Amino acid sequence: MPGTPSLPDVLARPFAAVLLDMDGTLVDSTPSVVRSWLRWCEEYGVDPARLAGQHGVTARNLIAGLLPAEQGEEAFRRIERLEVEDVEGTTLLPGAHDLLVALRDAGVPTAIVTSSSGPLAEARLGATALPHPEVVVTADDVVRGKPFPDPWLLGAERLGVAPADCLVVEDAVAGLRAARDAGCGGLVAVTTTTDRADLAEVADLVVSSVADLRVDLSGGQARLTGAAGTSPGGPPTA
């Protein structure tokens, strides 16, 4: 892609901070999401097919495209309540726990940047016992959530790092585009929820999970040294 760093460039440089999406990247909340949104759709008379292609978009932004504005707040509070009360089946994805622990122990500034609300993020972090990084940016912290760049910009700001010096790990095209628009320096995509070909249109590197990343953590920085995955348009690297 024009203007996108090549894989060798991403592998060659250190990053001062790491920004991580949560759902689909660190935790698998699919069972809860499906149950909650199907129930929500039934209650509000929305065809569930209209939810297709919206992964990575905040609930508020999604609802804004589905219901009249006057129903927005009440409808958002309803889906938030449904999801917070139902975290059954929410599990850690491969490599998530080890990566968060390694980043913490190495002193690399780290943030989770999620489209979930604050209560929902805490419910899922608690359900999985995922190590809590120093910064968690949720949809409640910004006026415009993903697919806008604001959450990534806030994550970098709270860590005191320029977006260009941040490595982003994300599973949704909407989130990746938001990170690119924020000027983040490196974009890694995981294929948990989205086709590899779609992710490769936006990301610098595409892998199956964070467990596939090979990262050197020294001097308080993160440097990708390789991955058991693919780069956009390239063959498997391991």
Side-chain angles (χ1 to χ4, degrees), residues 64-160:
L66 297 173
L67 296 175
E70 59 270 19
Q71 288 185 270
E73 184 61 26
E74 190 276 334
F76 168 74
R77 294 301 173 193
R78 179 56 177 157
I79 189 59
E80 180 183 54
R81 185 163 61 254
L82 287 170
E83 292 190 286
V84 167
E85 292 176 353
D86 179 8
V87 293
E88 183 178 354
T90 300
T91 58
L92 283 177
L93 286 166
H97 182 275
D98 290 347
L99 178 60
L100 264 295
V101 169
L103 289 166
R104 180 194 65 197
D105 292 349
V108 177
T110 303
I112 286 177
V113 179
T114 176
S115 292
S116 296
S117 68
L120 182 54
E122 292 302 324
R124 289 176 177 165
L125 289 173
T128 57
L130 188 70
H132 205 300
E134 56 190 287
V135 170
V136 176
V137 175
T138 75
D140 294 341
D141 297 317
V142 291
V143 175
R144 303 187 308 170
K146 300 174 189 176
F148 295 97
D150 306 36
W152 299 113
L153 291 170
L154 182 58
E157 178 185 334
R158 287 185 173 177
L159 292 176

Side-chain angles (χ1 to χ4, degrees), residues 155-183:
E157 178 185 334
R158 287 185 173 177
L159 292 176
V161 176
D165 292 325
C166 291
L167 177 66
V168 166
V169 187
E170 164 73 80
D171 71 304
V173 171
L176 290 165
R177 292 194 187 282
R180 183 68 73 201
D181 289 344

